[in-house]
Amino acid sequence: ICGSDLHSYLEGAFVAPGQVMGHEFSGKIVEMGKEVQGVKIGDRVTVMPLTICGRCPRCLEGSSHLCEIGLAESVAYGLPGAFAEFVRVPNVILGSNLFKIPDNVDDAAAALVEPLAVALHAAKMSAPGPSDTCVVLGLGSIGLNTVQMLKALGAGRVIGIDISPVRLKLAAQLGADITINGREVDALEAVTEITGPGAYGVGARADIVIEASGVGALLNQAVSMTRAGGKLRIAALYEGDVMVPANQIVQKEMSVSGTFAYRGEFAQVLSLLASGRIQAAPVITHTFALDDIEQAFRTQLDKDVSIKVQVAP
Ligand SMILES: [Zn+2]
Ligand SMILES: [Zn+2]
């Protein structure tokens, strides 16, 4: 269950009534179209759920995750999703929207390739270097996975911030060098202590800040944590409009960008999993049968007990 599924579940966001959700999944091929090549019945696979047109300007420049035409017909967004016994994947192209799972990667881990690709994309969009101090705000599954990916990409120092001791502990286990409990201390002050104050004593001076909490007040703090010329990447969705200190963005000439979905990161995630460089198992806290999906959603909503809840049809 994805964080965005919770917005759909609670507010009807992103999907129309009657939509079968579920866009993070793995499974076995039981039937296939005549023209599908490179796979056979029984193969274990995971799916990139976005449907792309391949012809619009965004697709042609290689940013098919921003396709201007196809996305409305994606698996779980328009087409039926994977909270089901079977799911149909249209226009299968091996290596594009279908990926074979290496033998040493289990089904549960393979179902996390999609959110891991989101995290890898967010980490790549911030291009961390060995001398960079990176801050990840919000250690839900995207935040935790972003911590892993930043380290895998060679980030110098990663600071994880959350209010849940369980998540902070897990962040440390997954490679965070420093963790900060935002309930116990002021997160901006704590980061400032680590990085030193920003120019003219304003805010902190982190090289890279990734906002993964979806809390407006934290996006605000994220701007203040970023150094002059630094990078702020926004990997969360927010309930309403958010106010940010725009003058700081201008005066620090910060680079601010959203990071959405993935841009061909699936194969790299699978090889990172197969090599053991990143882990999927630690974030999976619960697994429910398909019949108990209501309970699965309620468990995913309880941030104090769950990180990633899976459904096993
Ligand atoms: Zn998702
Ligand atoms: Zn397109």
Side-chain angles (χ1 to χ4, degrees):
I1 297 175
C2 175
S4 67
D5 292 335
L6 297 180
H7 289 282
S8 302
Y9 180 73
L10 291 175
E11 306 139 29
F14 316 125
V15 295
Q19 174 70 52
V20 178
M21 297 193 291
H23 59 271
E24 306 176 355
F25 60 99
S26 62
K28 227 177 235 172
I29 298 177
V30 292
E31 204 180 305
M32 48 195 262
K34 288 190 289 293
E35 291 172 37
V36 175
Q37 293 177 354
V39 287
K40 57 184 189 309
I41 305 288
D43 279 353
R44 297 166 63 239
V45 292
T46 186
V47 170
M48 194 288 289
L50 304 180
T51 294
I52 61 170
C53 79
R55 294 183 306 272
C56 75
R58 301 290 80 72
C59 282
L60 291 175
E61 72 189 11
S63 299
S64 54
H65 62 308
L66 305 178
C67 176
E68 294 170 357
I69 296 164
L71 299 185
E73 283 295 297
S74 295
V75 175
Y77 296 95
L79 301 177
F83 291 139
E85 289 85 353
F86 302 97
V87 60
R88 187 179 74 88
V89 182
N91 306 316
V92 160
I93 299 172
L94 186 63
S96 173
N97 62 347
L98 190 80
F99 297 83
K100 288 193 205 177
I101 303 168
D103 287 341
N104 66 341
V105 176
D106 65 23
D107 293 346
L112 288 191
V113 170
E114 199 266 3
L116 283 163
V118 172
L120 178 55
H121 184 61
K124 276 185 168 176
M125 290 278 285
S126 45
S131 61
D132 284 337
T133 294
C134 311
V135 176
V136 179
L137 283 152
L139 301 171
S141 75
I142 293 296
L144 285 167
N145 287 331
T146 300
V147 167
Q148 298 200 72
M149 293 303 186
L150 286 167
K151 293 306 279 190
L153 294 182
R157 183 162 63 166
V158 176
I159 303 170
I161 302 176
D162 202 279
I163 53 174
S164 151
V166 179
R167 288 163 188 245
L168 290 164
K169 203 173 146 208
L170 196 46
Q173 190 187 325
L174 293 173
D177 301 283
I178 301 167
T179 59
I180 294 169
N181 187 329
R183 192 169 271 158
E184 289 168 0
V185 296
D186 181 276
L188 177 57
E189 275 175 27
V191 172
T192 305
E193 237 166 73
I194 295 162
T195 63
Y200 310 106
V202 178
R205 50 184 306 121
D207 302 289
I208 292 165
V209 178
I210 298 183
E211 209 306 281
S213 75
V215 177
L218 292 184
L219 177 57
N220 212 291
Q221 285 207 330
V223 173
S224 301
M225 286 176 187
T226 311
R227 71 163 165 82
K231 295 175 247 184
L232 170 59
R233 299 291 174 257
I234 306 171
L237 293 164
Y238 301 83
E239 233 154 80
D241 292 345
V242 176
M243 300 267 286
V244 293
N247 289 349
Q248 281 193 50
I249 295 174
V250 174
Q251 287 167 333
K252 293 199 276 192
E253 201 169 87
M254 287 167 53
S255 132
V256 180
S257 84
T259 89
F260 175 72
Y262 22 76
R263 194 175 187 270
E265 280 89 357
F266 273 57
Q268 196 181 350
V269 168
L270 280 164
S271 66
L272 285 166
L273 281 170
S275 69
R277 188 67 192 78
I278 60 164
Q279 303 171 62
V283 303
I284 303 169
T285 51
H286 299 77
T287 305
F288 288 92
L290 185 58
D291 285 342
D292 300 324
I293 195 160
E294 281 280 339
Q295 203 191 335
F297 268 81
R298 282 197 299 272
T299 306
Q300 184 70 75
L301 278 167
D302 189 343
K303 293 190 166 80
D304 289 327
V305 305
S306 70
I307 294 170
K308 195 63 154 179
V309 176
Q310 291 198 323
V311 177

